[in-house]
Amino acid sequence: MKEKRIFRYVLTDAWENMISQVDVIETPKGGTVRCLHYNKKEYLTYEDNTKADFFATPISYEDISKIKKIMYEHKDIFSFQEVEFPTILDGVINTFEFAPDKNLANVINAFNIWAIKEEADVGFYETLNSPYKGLIVPHKGKEIIIVYNEISKILLDNRVNEMYLKLH
């Protein structure tokens, strides 16, 4: 087996400038977690988004298996094309890639998913392009948050700094 990414989380601003990225890579002997965090200033220039903190750490085969198990236990995430869209005009884009094996993978872009986790007092559209139908419960977004929180706990236990894992 070669290296294989089983999980990726990317945080970008509303203009898709990367803020952070976390990759969990499975290897024949366990795995590696690779993290990037770009130092964002209040006023951006082209050069501002080129200075990054980088962190990498080994992760045990046992923890790789736990991460895969979390994904398998929440198989609905592999059917989501979009998640609910909060009525927030600005913010961030959260991208989640779940890929426990080569036949089961999904990439999900969410906007301001922190609003679901923090139970912000905002309404949600069913999807980005759907008409507003009043207050709906963001079931898909909540499922993504559950999986993300469980995976994040394992990563934090493996010395990954929470700055790489922030939702906004």
Side-chain angles (χ1 to χ4, degrees), residues 11 17 21 36 38 41 52 57 76 80 82 91 102 123:
L11 174 65
N17 295 305
Q21 177 177 309
L36 284 171
Y38 290 90
K41 296 184 180 175
T57 187
D76 286 349
F80 298 163
E82 294 181 273
K102 67 180 180 179

PDB file of all heavy atoms in Angstrom, residues 11 17 21 36 38 41 52 57 76 80 82 91 102 123:
ATOM      1  N   LEU A  11      -9.845  25.099   5.619  1.00  0.00           N
ATOM      2  CA  LEU A  11     -10.562  26.315   5.970  1.00  0.00           C
ATOM      3  C   LEU A  11     -10.046  27.434   5.077  1.00  0.00           C
ATOM      4  O   LEU A  11      -8.833  27.661   5.007  1.00  0.00           O
ATOM      5  CB  LEU A  11     -10.310  26.667   7.443  1.00  0.00           C
ATOM      6  CG  LEU A  11     -10.881  27.995   7.941  1.00  0.00           C
ATOM      7  CD1 LEU A  11     -12.411  27.987   7.910  1.00  0.00           C
ATOM      8  CD2 LEU A  11     -10.371  28.288   9.361  1.00  0.00           C
ATOM      9  N   ASN A  17      -9.111  32.132  -0.036  1.00  0.00           N
ATOM     10  CA  ASN A  17      -7.711  32.179   0.393  1.00  0.00           C
ATOM     11  C   ASN A  17      -7.565  31.203   1.559  1.00  0.00           C
ATOM     12  O   ASN A  17      -8.293  31.311   2.544  1.00  0.00           O
ATOM     13  CB  ASN A  17      -7.323  33.582   0.855  1.00  0.00           C
ATOM     14  CG  ASN A  17      -7.362  34.584  -0.275  1.00  0.00           C
ATOM     15  OD1 ASN A  17      -6.730  34.384  -1.298  1.00  0.00           O
ATOM     16  ND2 ASN A  17      -8.121  35.652  -0.088  1.00  0.00           N
ATOM     17  N   GLN A  21      -5.142  23.899   6.728  1.00  0.00           N
ATOM     18  CA  GLN A  21      -5.411  22.604   6.101  1.00  0.00           C
ATOM     19  C   GLN A  21      -4.832  21.510   6.986  1.00  0.00           C
ATOM     20  O   GLN A  21      -3.740  21.653   7.525  1.00  0.00           O
ATOM     21  CB  GLN A  21      -4.753  22.537   4.724  1.00  0.00           C
ATOM     22  CG  GLN A  21      -4.904  21.204   4.025  1.00  0.00           C
ATOM     23  CD  GLN A  21      -4.295  21.235   2.644  1.00  0.00           C
ATOM     24  OE1 GLN A  21      -4.584  22.113   1.854  1.00  0.00           O
ATOM     25  NE2 GLN A  21      -3.425  20.276   2.361  1.00  0.00           N
ATOM     26  N   LEU A  36      -1.105  22.762   7.847  1.00  0.00           N
ATOM     27  CA  LEU A  36      -0.645  24.074   7.402  1.00  0.00           C
ATOM     28  C   LEU A  36      -1.552  25.130   8.003  1.00  0.00           C
ATOM     29  O   LEU A  36      -2.766  24.917   8.114  1.00  0.00           O
ATOM     30  CB  LEU A  36      -0.754  24.206   5.877  1.00  0.00           C
ATOM     31  CG  LEU A  36       0.269  23.524   5.013  1.00  0.00           C
ATOM     32  CD1 LEU A  36      -0.156  23.605   3.550  1.00  0.00           C
ATOM     33  CD2 LEU A  36       1.624  24.171   5.192  1.00  0.00           C
ATOM     34  N   TYR A  38      -1.909  29.432   7.502  1.00  0.00           N
ATOM     35  CA  TYR A  38      -1.402  30.676   6.947  1.00  0.00           C
ATOM     36  C   TYR A  38      -1.705  31.817   7.897  1.00  0.00           C
ATOM     37  O   TYR A  38      -2.820  31.928   8.399  1.00  0.00           O
ATOM     38  CB  TYR A  38      -2.016  30.953   5.570  1.00  0.00           C
ATOM     39  CG  TYR A  38      -1.493  29.996   4.542  1.00  0.00           C
ATOM     40  CD1 TYR A  38      -2.147  28.793   4.297  1.00  0.00           C
ATOM     41  CD2 TYR A  38      -0.332  30.273   3.840  1.00  0.00           C
ATOM     42  CE1 TYR A  38      -1.650  27.893   3.372  1.00  0.00           C
ATOM     43  CE2 TYR A  38       0.173  29.376   2.908  1.00  0.00           C
ATOM     44  CZ  TYR A  38      -0.492  28.198   2.681  1.00  0.00           C
ATOM     45  OH  TYR A  38      -0.003  27.311   1.767  1.00  0.00           O
ATOM     46  N   LYS A  41      -3.428  38.473   7.989  1.00  0.00           N
ATOM     47  CA  LYS A  41      -3.401  39.813   8.555  1.00  0.00           C
ATOM     48  C   LYS A  41      -4.720  40.510   8.246  1.00  0.00           C
ATOM     49  O   LYS A  41      -5.501  40.059   7.414  1.00  0.00           O
ATOM     50  CB  LYS A  41      -2.230  40.600   7.981  1.00  0.00           C
ATOM     51  CG  LYS A  41      -0.891  40.002   8.363  1.00  0.00           C
ATOM     52  CD  LYS A  41       0.242  40.843   7.869  1.00  0.00           C
ATOM     53  CE  LYS A  41       1.554  40.211   8.286  1.00  0.00           C
ATOM     54  NZ  LYS A  41       2.692  40.896   7.746  1.00  0.00           N
ATOM     55  N   ALA A  52       3.538  30.490   6.206  1.00  0.00           N
ATOM     56  CA  ALA A  52       2.708  29.444   6.803  1.00  0.00           C
ATOM     57  C   ALA A  52       3.447  28.721   7.913  1.00  0.00           C
ATOM     58  O   ALA A  52       4.662  28.562   7.863  1.00  0.00           O
ATOM     59  CB  ALA A  52       2.290  28.438   5.737  1.00  0.00           C
ATOM     60  N   THR A  57       3.167  15.108  12.231  1.00  0.00           N
ATOM     61  CA  THR A  57       3.388  14.188  13.338  1.00  0.00           C
ATOM     62  C   THR A  57       2.939  12.792  12.918  1.00  0.00           C
ATOM     63  O   THR A  57       1.979  12.650  12.156  1.00  0.00           O
ATOM     64  CB  THR A  57       2.631  14.650  14.611  1.00  0.00           C
ATOM     65  OG1 THR A  57       3.015  13.819  15.713  1.00  0.00           O
ATOM     66  CG2 THR A  57       1.136  14.592  14.444  1.00  0.00           C
ATOM     67  N   ASP A  76     -23.908   8.195   6.188  1.00  0.00           N
ATOM     68  CA  ASP A  76     -24.726   9.201   5.500  1.00  0.00           C
ATOM     69  C   ASP A  76     -23.873  10.310   4.898  1.00  0.00           C
ATOM     70  O   ASP A  76     -24.244  10.891   3.874  1.00  0.00           O
ATOM     71  CB  ASP A  76     -25.752   9.826   6.456  1.00  0.00           C
ATOM     72  CG  ASP A  76     -26.901   8.889   6.771  1.00  0.00           C
ATOM     73  OD1 ASP A  76     -27.027   7.844   6.104  1.00  0.00           O
ATOM     74  OD2 ASP A  76     -27.671   9.210   7.697  1.00  0.00           O
ATOM     75  N   PHE A  80     -23.992  13.043   1.000  1.00  0.00           N
ATOM     76  CA  PHE A  80     -24.252  14.488   0.995  1.00  0.00           C
ATOM     77  C   PHE A  80     -23.546  15.149  -0.186  1.00  0.00           C
ATOM     78  O   PHE A  80     -22.332  15.030  -0.326  1.00  0.00           O
ATOM     79  CB  PHE A  80     -23.752  15.156   2.280  1.00  0.00           C
ATOM     80  CG  PHE A  80     -24.402  14.672   3.551  1.00  0.00           C
ATOM     81  CD1 PHE A  80     -23.807  14.931   4.772  1.00  0.00           C
ATOM     82  CD2 PHE A  80     -25.597  13.981   3.545  1.00  0.00           C
ATOM     83  CE1 PHE A  80     -24.384  14.508   5.959  1.00  0.00           C
ATOM     84  CE2 PHE A  80     -26.192  13.548   4.722  1.00  0.00           C
ATOM     85  CZ  PHE A  80     -25.582  13.820   5.933  1.00  0.00           C
ATOM     86  N   GLU A  82     -24.436  18.573  -0.713  1.00  0.00           N
ATOM     87  CA  GLU A  82     -24.346  19.886  -0.098  1.00  0.00           C
ATOM     88  C   GLU A  82     -24.887  19.779   1.315  1.00  0.00           C
ATOM     89  O   GLU A  82     -25.624  18.852   1.629  1.00  0.00           O
ATOM     90  CB  GLU A  82     -25.213  20.907  -0.839  1.00  0.00           C
ATOM     91  CG  GLU A  82     -24.791  21.222  -2.247  1.00  0.00           C
ATOM     92  CD  GLU A  82     -25.705  22.258  -2.865  1.00  0.00           C
ATOM     93  OE1 GLU A  82     -26.735  21.875  -3.425  1.00  0.00           O
ATOM     94  OE2 GLU A  82     -25.373  23.457  -2.778  1.00  0.00           O
ATOM     95  N   GLY A  91     -17.933  35.285   5.673  1.00  0.00           N
ATOM     96  CA  GLY A  91     -17.430  34.246   6.555  1.00  0.00           C
ATOM     97  C   GLY A  91     -16.386  33.377   5.907  1.00  0.00           C
ATOM     98  O   GLY A  91     -15.465  33.869   5.274  1.00  0.00           O
ATOM     99  N   LYS A 102     -10.831   3.303  -1.007  1.00  0.00           N
ATOM    100  CA  LYS A 102     -10.886   3.830  -2.379  1.00  0.00           C
ATOM    101  C   LYS A 102     -12.284   3.783  -2.990  1.00  0.00           C
ATOM    102  O   LYS A 102     -12.561   4.488  -3.954  1.00  0.00           O
ATOM    103  CB  LYS A 102      -9.887   3.098  -3.270  1.00  0.00           C
ATOM    104  CG  LYS A 102     -10.203   1.642  -3.510  1.00  0.00           C
ATOM    105  CD  LYS A 102      -9.154   1.003  -4.399  1.00  0.00           C
ATOM    106  CE  LYS A 102      -9.493  -0.458  -4.612  1.00  0.00           C
ATOM    107  NZ  LYS A 102      -8.523  -1.106  -5.477  1.00  0.00           N
ATOM    108  N   GLY A 123     -30.993  31.649  10.394  1.00  0.00           N
ATOM    109  CA  GLY A 123     -31.793  30.701   9.629  1.00  0.00           C
ATOM    110  C   GLY A 123     -30.910  29.929   8.670  1.00  0.00           C
ATOM    111  O   GLY A 123     -29.760  30.283   8.424  1.00  0.00           O
TER     112      GLY A 123
END
